[in-house]
Amino acid sequence: MAILIIAEHDDRTLKSATLNAVTAAAQIGAELHLLVAGRDCRAAAGQAARIPGLAKVLLADDASLAQQLAEKVSPLVVELAKDYSHIVAPATTSGKNLLPRVAALLGVAQLSEVIGVESTDTFRRPIYAGNAIATVQSLDSVKVLTVRGSAFEPAPAEGGGTPIESIHFAGDAGDSARFVGEQVAVSERPELSSARIVVSGGRGLGSGESFALLERLADKLGAAVGASRAAVDAGFVPNDRQVGQTGKIVAPDLYIAVGISGAIQHLAGMKESKVIVAINKDEEAPIFQVADYGLVADLFEAIPELERKL
Amino acid sequence: MKILVTVKRVIDYNVKVRVKPDHSDVDLANVKMAMNPFCEIAVEEAVRLKEAGLATEILAVSVGPKACQEQIRTALALGADRGIHIETEDFPESLEVARLLAKVVEAERPELIITGKQSIDSDNNQTGQMLAALLDLPQGTFASALKLADGRVEVTREIDGGLQTLSLSLPAVVTTDLRLNEPRYASLPNIMKAKKKPLEVRTPAELGVQPRAHTRLLKVEAPAERKGGIKVASIDELVEKLKNEAKVI
Amino acid sequence: MPVGILGGLRRGSANPPYDYDNNKVFEEDRAMRESMEFDVVIVGAGPAGLSAACRLMQLAAEQERALEVCVVEKGSEVGAHILSGAVIEPRALDELFPDWKERGAPLNTPVSEDRLYLLKSAGQAIRLPDPLVPKTLHNQGNYVASLGNLVRWLGEQAEQLGVQIFPGFAAAEVLYREDGSVKGVATGDMGVAADGSRKDSFEPGIELHAKYTLFAEGCRGHLGQQLRRRFELERNADPQHYGLGIKELWDIDSARHQPGLVIHGSGWPLQGDASGGFFLYHAENNQVVVGLIVDLNYVNPWLSPFDEFQRMKHHPVLKHYLEGGKRVSYGARAIAKGGFNALPEMVFPGGLLIGCEAGTLNFAKIKGTHTAMKSGMLAAETVFEALVDGDEGGRALEAFDERFRASWLYEELYRSRNFGPALHRFGALGGGAFNFLEQSLFSGQLPITLRDRDEDHARLRPAADFSSIAYPKPDGLLSFDKLSSVFLSNTNHAENQPCHLVLKDAEVPVASNLPCYAEPAQRYCPAGVYEVSGDEREGWRFQVNAQNCLHCKTCDIKDPAQNIVWTTPEGGGGPNYPNM
């Protein structure tokens, strides 16, 4: 049987998380169908059709599917589910909102935040905030999974020519759940916990004023600014900036640790980052043991230079 | 208005979990347990609604072994009025918890159900959504604000890249995110009083549910330790690597 | 945010100077506080406090009297802050719960073998033949156990007997009646920000009033220190002496595991005037505990007990067991080992000091659990007798002294009175010989008493008198750095609360401790709480990482200027030790 992938999109554009989900689904190994459900979402479906390796793009375009409310999308997915062995969605807030609802209606379990595919029914997923990895076998007839994007390379976005198949779906027009509004984050800097790039400073910065150096670098990169507990304790920055065991856990694509020695509490908060860069003048600093790229340098020279050369 | 909140007993968030040497599971022997932090937020939100005069009764429900009654008592000390413990041998899977809760909801008829968005042990993020599905109720997940008006609840949700606001008819299921509120501390006199509040123990059989397994836990491992990479000699080299090798900028 | 010259100063300026003898509470705060009335309030859910609580309720049940007993505990749960070896002698437990086996007390590993080593150097050791081991160090009939788990069990027994236990609530303040007697304690306020302002979650402390209050905070209790001063409880006692115990729990190779094997020893790596001893006990489930107790009367400010412990594990005697194993947990706690000679008056108007709060540990046996429990039971019997007689509270229960003197506890502590002073006076070898003679041949009955009158903090000599100690780098297999160790203690304190480690004078660390003693707090603290950063040019900064604190109390004890006051942080803060 085939695998149904739920596309992440905003009707106009397909979101990149879809591409990671396609890779995960491909690893399970079966015919891949991608569902684009929304209102006036043909554009997104068109982009989906260009992903190589799909057998089919299903387009469900209906007024009831506007904003893709879980209450409205789940009956559609449940209706389609009988033809599929697996239903896969990215572990985004929309995927995590929708799939448990789908699973419950199907009377099956849902596996969250899958990071590894062992076989068609066995998957790896983090538990205890990533401090343990569970290998779990599904006993249900339909496997419903959300997959963590950072664990799977994105599939190519271009090169395919998949046929788009429109499916007729007349959803319930009831207003038990009604969309009121959306507020896209417009803060100058992204939020620490969701930023794609994080620049963090430690006690090596020596003062709160020096954080301005990091802020300039962060602005150039579109990054959030974090701090180690030592920097917070020293009073350089307020404690909502703290990354680490007792502060925020971050897992950005790029984490740049500046003047941070790498106390284990800090490492606990950022070691899931995809790429770690450490800049520290002490070459013995433990942060280098986890950094993909380490630079032994005086940060007061290195950071302005980095900012210039980006 | 009656509010039902769910509370789960989990490892205390301060405690570092350790994988058992035989990889069968994590080791929870003599480890400090506590109420799941997202459930604390759920309880707090319910108590605030009651204090604002918008709710009349708060019912705290927990599913799991006998020790879960400690967490129900904590919820009672924080301001819940009564508790229901659905006693099971182990912690059932999310769908089964949702099925048990659905039975309680059918009997108790709360107008608002608040659950944590996920528990910090299994990190599933499912039970609220599943409960809503089973009862055909609207859901407001990852709530960072909640407003009751005109017989509906308006929920501000933390979604990727921003906030979304939904209006839900009641009854509805809301799951809490971290920023919904800062939970209070249970005061000592309230802990004493909580010991006298009603706590009813039910079994799955009484509720007509036979929890079953949908998954099998094959193995639990510690995450792979991160290995150090390379040292670069200059900023130029660093920028080159980030652009062309790591492809993150 | 501007940065002060001193981390401590920044904190100091946010908090008014701490008046450690007169608890400063605003009148407004007092008015806000609720109070609750009990017959007996017990501070600290350790072996002494819980044994007292259990004994009180047993007596009340026997005589069919209603009794309200409450225990407050600063740890997040009963047992969370408990750390001990431990080899436990069940004598007091046998008396308290003769059926403890049926009740499931977690004493599952009887001691199977005792070994005593003198480590001569990094590679050499001599094992003392059994006949030369002092009688007090024989452990037949004792159990290797986790005191944390025993205390968790005791907590369950106490609750079943009707004791109200409140974990997560720190007794922050002693309350007095108008006549000066102790009226009870107040729990600390919750939800206070670092700058002293109230957060949304602010919850004022509660006054717990009692006819009698038993203080069982353990070694160097923060309220106990105040009571000692206020009631001059130490007027007839030698100064208390302390050790810092650092302990780790390991999973080891089952082939090297021998349940019930108990190893003690002394010598290397402690050198010169530094003394102490190590332990390695084989518990259940292929686990061993390993630890080092460093006597806090050491003179060299460069000494780092933590690093001594880390390098000690590389000695073949210990490495043999640990190699290939995995460290599971880490913790540290000061112990009061002055014994009989340092025992203060335990009785004062309205209450008693019990257990390690008073200093009932028997250093000759390196055991304090059975003595702490017994002291709690004796206190319970005394208090109960008074309450039965219609006592309304607030008196000094002199009857305790008679009970104490007639007990095996007194006899045991008396016999061991010279053990510590002998080691201090004659060194490990000479003292060891004295102890062997005294304990084994004369059973502690020699008519001499050795005294030891120097306070531990006063023993430090200037850093310039010594060369600094170059400790080996941890290898990540047997030895580890401080922060990865602290990580395993699961310690935490809610962010944004006032620093609970109070400097009486924020200038002292950099102005005098640093030039004279190279600020020893950096090294004696086993949790990396204290750091000095900066340099000559920019100036030095003393940083207090209070969130790391393990509540071991060493800073309160060893700071040469006696400038650091350990106070209670927000309840529930501190380590969360499993199985320690």
Side-chain angles (χ1 to χ4, degrees):
Chain A
M1 278 212 282
I3 299 172
L4 180 67
I5 305 164
I6 315 290
E8 174 102 359
H9 66 93
D10 64 2
D11 296 332
R12 292 181 306 278
T13 45
L14 190 74
K15 296 290 169 67
S16 64
T18 310
L19 301 174
N20 307 89
V22 166
T23 302
Q27 287 181 12
I28 298 168
E31 198 174 289
L32 305 181
H33 297 182
L34 185 81
L35 170 68
V36 178
R39 182 177 63 182
D40 299 334
C41 55
R42 187 160 285 279
Q47 292 160 38
R50 297 209 292 273
I51 302 171
L54 300 179
K56 211 189 261 185
V57 169
L58 301 173
L59 169 62
D61 196 335
D62 186 73
S64 71
L65 299 174
Q67 270 83 36
Q68 302 164 45
L69 301 182
E71 293 81 351
K72 307 294 169 70
V73 180
S74 50
L76 165 65
V77 179
V78 169
E79 202 179 294
L80 296 171
K82 60 182 186 301
D83 298 327
Y84 294 96
S85 59
H86 296 75
I87 299 171
V88 176
T92 54
T93 48
S94 52
K96 291 194 278 196
N97 189 41
L98 173 66
L99 277 214
R101 197 160 177 121
V102 168
L105 293 174
L106 293 170
V108 300
Q110 189 242 290
L111 298 178
S112 298
E113 303 264 3
V114 166
I115 56 165
V117 175
E118 302 282 292
S119 72
T120 54
D121 66 358
T122 303
F123 307 92
R124 287 158 51 79
R125 57 175 301 263
I127 52 177
Y128 294 92
N131 289 305
I133 307 296
T135 302
V136 183
Q137 183 182 26
S138 166
L139 308 175
D140 288 320
S141 54
V142 186
K143 280 85 173 146
V144 181
L145 333 165
T146 62
V147 298
R148 182 177 283 188
S150 59
F152 299 94
E153 289 294 317
E158 301 291 336
T162 315
I164 299 176
E165 187 178 304
S166 285
I167 45 178
H168 175 72
F169 178 74
D172 163 27
D175 79 337
S176 68
R178 193 164 65 210
F179 176 80
V180 176
E182 199 161 278
Q183 188 188 334
V184 179
V186 286
S187 77
E188 289 174 26
R189 275 193 209 101
E191 263 226 62
L192 192 49
S193 42
S194 57
R196 205 183 63 81
I197 302 179
V198 172
V199 180
S200 261
R203 201 159 58 221
L205 273 93
S207 74
E209 288 77 17
S210 308
F211 264 79
L213 281 178
L214 297 194
E215 278 157 14
R216 281 199 293 276
L217 175 64
D219 287 345
K220 189 116 183 205
L221 286 164
V225 177
S228 71
R229 188 165 105 192
V232 172
D233 281 352
F236 299 167
V237 287
N239 61 18
D240 59 0
R241 293 274 185 92
Q242 183 175 320
V243 171
Q245 176 207 348
T246 61
K248 293 185 172 59
I249 309 275
V250 299
D253 288 348
L254 174 60
Y255 188 89
I256 304 179
V258 182
I260 290 178
S261 66
I264 187 138
Q265 288 91 338
H266 187 76
L267 302 185
M270 46 66 85
K271 64 181 183 341
E272 300 301 316
S273 305
K274 200 163 161 195
V275 174
I276 297 174
V277 170
I279 300 175
N280 202 303
K281 66 179 172 190
D282 173 12
E283 63 179 307
E284 299 286 334
I287 189 81
F288 288 122
Q289 291 163 23
V290 299
D292 298 286
Y293 303 107
L295 177 65
V296 179
D298 180 355
L299 69 96
F300 294 100
E301 288 160 22
I303 297 302
E305 185 185 345
L306 178 58
E307 189 199 328
R308 272 200 315 280
K309 291 184 171 162
L310 280 170
Chain B
M1 179 168 103
K2 188 195 280 188
I3 301 178
L4 185 150
V5 291
T6 57
V7 295
K8 185 175 181 188
R9 176 181 174 86
V10 297
I11 189 168
D12 187 280
Y13 75 100
N14 285 312
V15 176
K16 261 66 78 186
V17 63
R18 185 175 82 97
V19 173
K20 285 185 183 170
D22 67 359
H23 298 295
S24 60
D25 207 334
V26 298
D27 187 0
L28 296 181
N30 299 304
V31 160
K32 158 91 168 101
M33 304 294 278
M35 190 193 296
N36 179 41
F38 292 103
C39 301
E40 275 187 62
I41 295 171
V43 174
E44 176 67 29
E45 197 62 21
V47 174
R48 289 186 186 191
L49 289 170
K50 192 179 169 194
E51 284 172 347
L54 297 166
T56 49
E57 191 190 15
I58 302 168
L59 173 63
V61 186
S62 190
V63 180
K66 191 163 193 330
C68 293
Q69 290 180 19
E70 278 177 40
Q71 279 59 50
I72 297 177
R73 289 286 173 208
T74 304
L76 297 174
L78 290 167
D81 298 294
R82 62 191 177 94
I84 295 181
H85 174 215
I86 302 168
E87 189 168 353
T88 56
E89 223 167 89
D90 216 330
F91 288 96
E93 293 178 36
S94 305
L95 179 61
E96 302 306 310
V97 172
R99 290 172 62 197
L100 291 163
L101 292 172
K103 294 292 181 188
V104 176
V105 171
E106 281 167 4
E108 294 283 344
R109 307 247 153 233
E111 283 175 273
L112 186 60
I113 299 137
I114 313 181
T115 74
K117 76 166 180 181
Q118 70 190 76
S119 61
I120 61 166
D121 50 0
S122 58
D123 284 338
N124 275 329
N125 194 332
Q126 299 170 354
T127 305
Q129 295 91 311
M130 288 179 158
L131 177 61
L134 296 177
L135 295 166
D136 197 20
L137 297 179
Q139 68 189 41
T141 50
F142 326 138
S144 65
L146 189 159
K147 206 162 71 190
L148 285 167
D150 308 328
R152 295 178 75 93
V153 59
E154 201 168 279
V155 181
T156 303
R157 306 178 56 229
E158 295 203 5
I159 59 168
D160 294 327
L163 299 172
Q164 182 191 60
T165 305
L166 299 179
S167 165
L168 310 175
S169 62
L170 296 175
V173 176
V174 172
T175 77
T176 63
D177 215 320
L178 217 50
R179 274 164 285 270
L180 182 58
N181 59 50
E182 189 188 341
R184 70 193 64 198
Y185 299 93
S187 77
L188 228 143
N190 286 342
I191 292 174
M192 296 272 285
K193 284 177 205 147
K195 293 184 181 179
K196 299 195 176 74
K197 288 186 179 176
L199 197 169
E200 188 188 340
V201 183
R202 310 292 303 273
T203 63
E206 286 167 13
L207 296 169
V209 176
Q210 181 63 50
R212 60 188 186 92
H214 297 267
T215 60
R216 190 180 292 140
L217 182 61
L218 302 181
K219 185 165 64 176
V220 176
E221 298 158 288
E225 295 218 358
R226 207 181 169 103
K227 297 266 188 300
I230 57 161
K231 289 253 172 76
V232 292
S234 67
I235 288 287
D236 290 318
E237 189 186 347
L238 176 63
V239 172
E240 190 272 322
K241 295 276 188 199
L242 290 179
K243 280 188 174 148
N244 302 322
E245 192 175 272
K247 300 193 174 101
V248 285
I249 56 171
Chain C
M1 187 185 292
V3 181
I5 310 162
L6 300 172
L9 195 64
R10 189 175 66 82
R11 291 156 201 287
S13 59
N15 300 318
Y18 186 73
D19 186 353
Y20 54 93
D21 271 331
N22 295 299
N23 301 288
K24 186 191 59 58
V25 175
F26 297 110
E27 286 307 315
E28 174 201 352
D29 291 335
R30 273 197 199 285
M32 279 182 73
R33 288 202 299 216
E34 288 181 57
S35 66
M36 295 164 76
E37 306 290 330
F38 295 92
D39 292 301
V40 183
V41 165
I42 299 170
V43 181
L50 290 174
S51 297
C54 289
R55 191 76 194 109
L56 278 165
M57 296 313 274
Q58 286 175 342
L59 291 166
E62 277 166 24
Q63 306 203 11
E64 297 180 0
R65 292 185 65 101
L67 200 64
E68 292 288 331
V69 176
C70 136
V71 181
V72 282
E73 162 58 42
K74 68 179 163 64
S76 61
E77 65 166 354
V78 173
H81 288 185
I82 296 289
L83 179 116
S84 180
V87 172
I88 292 172
E89 179 177 319
R91 188 170 185 179
L93 185 60
D94 288 339
E95 292 178 12
L96 187 61
F97 291 107
D99 56 347
W100 58 261
K101 278 206 171 99
E102 291 72 42
R103 288 169 179 262
L107 299 185
N108 303 322
T109 314
V111 174
S112 56
E113 187 184 346
D114 270 303
R115 290 185 203 162
L116 188 60
Y117 287 90
L118 184 62
L119 305 187
K120 306 272 288 173
S121 65
Q124 291 177 304
I126 38 176
R127 181 174 164 194
L128 265 69
D130 269 352
L132 284 184
V133 175
K135 212 162 70 179
T136 50
L137 288 179
H138 288 279
N139 281 302
Q140 295 92 335
N142 297 337
Y143 295 83
V144 176
S146 153
L147 184 58
N149 292 348
L150 178 62
V151 158
R152 285 182 180 93
W153 175 85
L154 268 178
E156 288 167 18
Q157 308 307 308
E159 285 196 317
Q160 281 169 22
L161 287 163
V163 176
Q164 307 268 7
I165 305 180
F166 298 114
F169 289 90
E173 185 190 339
V174 183
L175 304 172
Y176 299 97
R177 294 186 183 82
E178 279 180 11
D179 65 3
S181 65
V182 170
K183 184 189 186 181
V185 292
T187 62
D189 294 340
M190 312 280 270
V192 178
D195 63 4
S197 64
R198 285 166 192 184
K199 298 190 272 188
D200 283 353
S201 55
F202 177 76
E203 185 70 50
I206 299 286
E207 296 197 357
L208 303 170
H209 299 166
K211 295 189 174 98
Y212 288 98
T213 308
L214 306 182
F215 291 85
E217 300 171 283
C219 167
R220 194 82 171 191
H222 147 249
L223 301 181
Q225 286 296 106
Q226 297 173 22
L227 294 164
R228 283 165 185 259
R229 277 190 290 269
R230 182 168 179 124
F231 295 109
E232 296 178 359
L233 300 176
E234 292 168 346
R235 60 188 177 275
N236 297 320
D238 285 354
Q240 185 57 273
H241 289 280
Y242 301 92
L244 169 59
I246 305 178
K247 171 183 167 180
E248 292 175 352
L249 176 64
W250 283 67
D251 282 338
I252 65 160
D253 177 1
S254 58
R256 301 183 188 201
H257 189 251
Q258 186 184 330
L261 172 61
V262 165
I263 299 175
H264 287 111
S266 61
W268 186 86
L270 295 173
Q271 285 157 4
D273 280 339
S275 56
F278 76 86
F279 58 89
L280 189 148
Y281 305 148
H282 290 241
E284 323 164 57
N285 304 329
N286 290 323
Q287 291 192 317
V288 298
V289 293
V290 56
L292 175 68
I293 298 171
V294 176
D295 296 340
L296 286 177
N297 66 342
Y298 67 81
V299 297
N300 181 350
W302 297 106
L303 188 129
S304 163
F306 174 85
D307 293 293
E308 297 291 347
F309 173 52
Q310 294 304 322
R311 72 169 158 182
M312 182 195 81
K313 287 181 284 170
H314 288 270
H315 194 284
V317 167
L318 296 119
K319 184 177 170 182
H320 170 73
Y321 298 106
L322 302 177
E323 202 166 32
K326 187 170 173 3
R327 188 171 69 149
V328 175
S329 190
Y330 168 88
R333 183 72 171 92
I335 61 171
K337 60 186 191 59
F340 185 83
N341 299 338
L343 266 188
E345 302 290 330
M346 292 162 76
V347 176
F348 49 86
L352 288 102
L353 305 179
I354 54 175
C356 288
E357 175 97 89
T360 56
L361 180 131
N362 180 352
F363 191 53
K365 289 185 177 176
I366 334 176
K367 284 181 192 60
T369 303
H370 66 295
T371 51
M373 290 178 70
K374 182 65 180 176
S375 73
M377 291 156 66
L378 293 170
E381 287 158 13
T382 310
V383 168
F384 186 76
E385 191 181 72
L387 295 176
V388 166
D389 287 346
D391 190 331
E392 282 306 304
R395 292 191 306 120
L397 295 176
E398 307 294 353
F400 174 80
D401 285 330
E402 281 161 52
R403 225 176 254 279
F404 174 50
R405 280 174 187 277
S407 71
W408 56 256
L409 172 61
Y410 181 90
E411 193 200 340
E412 181 177 324
L413 293 180
Y414 179 78
R415 282 181 187 217
S416 303
R417 72 196 177 285
N418 290 333
F419 193 90
L423 290 174
H424 282 186
R425 186 173 301 189
F426 308 130
L429 220 55
F434 176 91
N435 286 333
F436 172 72
L437 287 172
E438 196 197 22
Q439 297 299 324
S440 299
L441 300 182
F442 296 98
S443 293
Q445 303 289 31
L446 279 180
I448 45 169
T449 296
L450 300 177
R451 297 274 174 184
D452 187 353
R453 299 191 198 274
D454 293 336
E455 292 203 51
D456 288 346
H457 69 84
R459 298 260 304 169
L460 273 186
R461 299 219 311 262
D465 292 2
F466 305 89
S467 45
S468 66
I469 304 173
Y471 288 105
K473 277 179 87 169
D475 69 352
L477 298 169
L478 287 172
S479 49
F480 305 90
D481 65 49
K482 244 185 213 179
L483 287 177
S484 58
S485 303
V486 174
F487 190 71
L488 292 179
S489 72
N490 300 318
T491 194
N492 190 29
H493 296 82
E495 279 170 28
N496 193 15
Q497 63 170 303
C499 180
H500 73 279
L501 299 156
V502 179
L503 302 177
K504 291 186 209 168
D505 177 347
E507 306 281 351
V508 163
V510 169
S512 61
N513 277 357
L514 186 61
C516 188
Y517 302 107
E519 185 45 273
Q522 305 174 75
R523 292 172 296 277
Y524 61 61
C525 174
V529 168
Y530 302 99
E531 289 177 277
V532 176
S533 60
D535 54 39
E536 293 286 357
R537 192 166 42 85
E538 294 174 13
W540 300 97
R541 187 172 57 231
F542 187 62
Q543 167 103 14
V544 182
N545 305 311
Q547 280 192 320
N548 282 2
C549 180
L550 294 175
H551 297 202
C552 79
K553 318 284 173 72
T554 302
C555 52
D556 196 278
I557 295 164
K558 189 63 177 171
D559 179 43
Q562 289 292 280
N563 183 51
I564 301 175
V565 183
W566 192 95
T567 68
T568 44
E570 189 166 278
N576 284 286
Y577 295 135
N579 305 303
M580 288 289 267

